[in-house]
Amino acid sequence: MELNSPEISSVLTTEDINTVASLAREIWTKHYTPIIGSEQVAYMLDKFQSPSAITKQIADGYYYFVIAQDEPIGYLSIKEEGDTLFISKIYVSADSRGKGYGNRLMRFAIKQANQFGLKILRLTVNKYNTKSIAAYEKMGFSNTIEVVFDIGNGYIMDDYEMMKTI
Ligand SMILES: CC(C)(COP(=O)(O)OP(=O)(O)OC[C@H]1O[C@@H](n2cnc3c(N)ncnc32)[C@H](O)[C@@H]1OP(=O)(O)O)[C@@H](O)C(=O)NCCC(=O)NCCS
């Protein structure tokens, strides 16, 4: 039996925002704890993916979307930055990875970039997040440069910046 197509919908209501925050908590805790440790994960979840942080980002021009296959399985956040679309977040639940949902979200981001008239996609990824870097390379991202962000409390984000022209 074939699965129905996943649905991608805008995050608009408090309930939607809570859905993103809970996806983030589940995905980030599992994925980032081995990379950056549980204390930094907790700090970053609180700073960047709490319901109030997401609400503020949306007010500041970030767009959030949830991808659902019967139930929510991932999310995307994008922002227009000059001639570039910044892919701020792209996450798929561990059980749903490797099944094309990341590609779906990326195609959706490209459609949004086209609507905004933007020709470049940009994202940042932790240097040690090797599987995601490999996925981004398959999706056509390159020009990797090193970027370090001080995120407070003695923590840094030790990232690569990757770009794709569309
Ligand atoms: C990165 C991520 C969003 C990709 O989503 P996904 O649903 O797993 O990706 P898809 O199944 O659509 O695969 C996309 C492409 O990447 C490739 N890919 C996916 N995982 C890969 C891996 N671990 N190693 C190598 N290539 C991989 C796929 O083969 C596919 O390429 P193809 O179209 O040429 O076949 C997802 O794996 C994820 O959420 N990872 C953990 C969280 C994370 O680090 N997010 C990024 C933060 S910057």
Side-chain angles (χ1 to χ4, degrees):
M1 198 174 71
E2 251 184 54
L3 286 175
N4 292 326
S5 284
E7 268 180 41
I8 299 179
S9 51
S10 289
V11 169
L12 302 169
T13 65
T14 305
E15 196 185 337
D16 299 337
I17 289 170
N18 289 338
T19 298
V20 173
S22 104
L23 279 169
R25 185 160 297 280
E26 173 215 316
I27 296 171
W28 286 37
T29 304
K30 194 162 183 181
H31 189 73
Y32 286 127
T33 301
I35 303 178
I36 55 176
S38 56
E39 280 179 20
Q40 184 167 348
V41 172
Y43 174 78
M44 288 177 65
L45 278 169
D46 186 52
K47 189 175 171 78
F48 301 121
Q49 300 283 256
S50 67
S52 61
I54 295 166
T55 303
K56 179 160 190 322
Q57 288 159 26
I58 292 171
D60 289 343
Y62 288 81
Y63 296 89
Y64 272 86
F65 302 91
V66 165
I67 184 167
Q69 182 79 63
D70 299 324
E71 57 185 48
I73 51 167
Y75 66 101
L76 170 76
S77 170
I78 56 174
K79 186 170 195 263
E80 194 176 353
E81 282 182 343
D83 61 355
T84 300
L85 188 79
F86 176 47
I87 299 181
S88 170
K89 312 274 182 302
I90 180 165
Y91 289 96
V92 173
S93 292
D95 292 349
S96 300
R97 278 178 211 149
K99 297 177 182 172
Y101 295 118
N103 273 338
R104 288 271 188 162
L105 286 173
M106 196 56 81
R107 282 206 299 276
F108 183 85
I110 291 170
K111 212 166 77 184
Q112 300 295 308
N114 286 333
Q115 277 174 12
F116 290 137
L118 308 175
K119 298 277 172 242
I120 302 166
L121 301 183
R122 180 177 85 83
L123 59 80
T124 58
V125 56
N126 184 286
K127 270 185 199 163
Y128 306 100
N129 194 353
T130 47
K131 289 181 183 169
S132 301
I133 293 169
Y136 294 145
E137 282 170 347
K138 289 248 181 90
M139 292 174 184
F141 283 80
S142 59
N143 301 338
T144 305
I145 60 163
E146 294 184 14
V147 281
V148 177
F149 301 99
D150 185 335
I151 55 168
N153 223 32
Y155 296 122
I156 57 153
M157 289 190 346
D158 195 8
D159 285 359
Y160 288 130
E161 178 180 76
M162 302 180 81
M163 317 270 260
K164 173 183 166 85
T165 304
I166 52 173

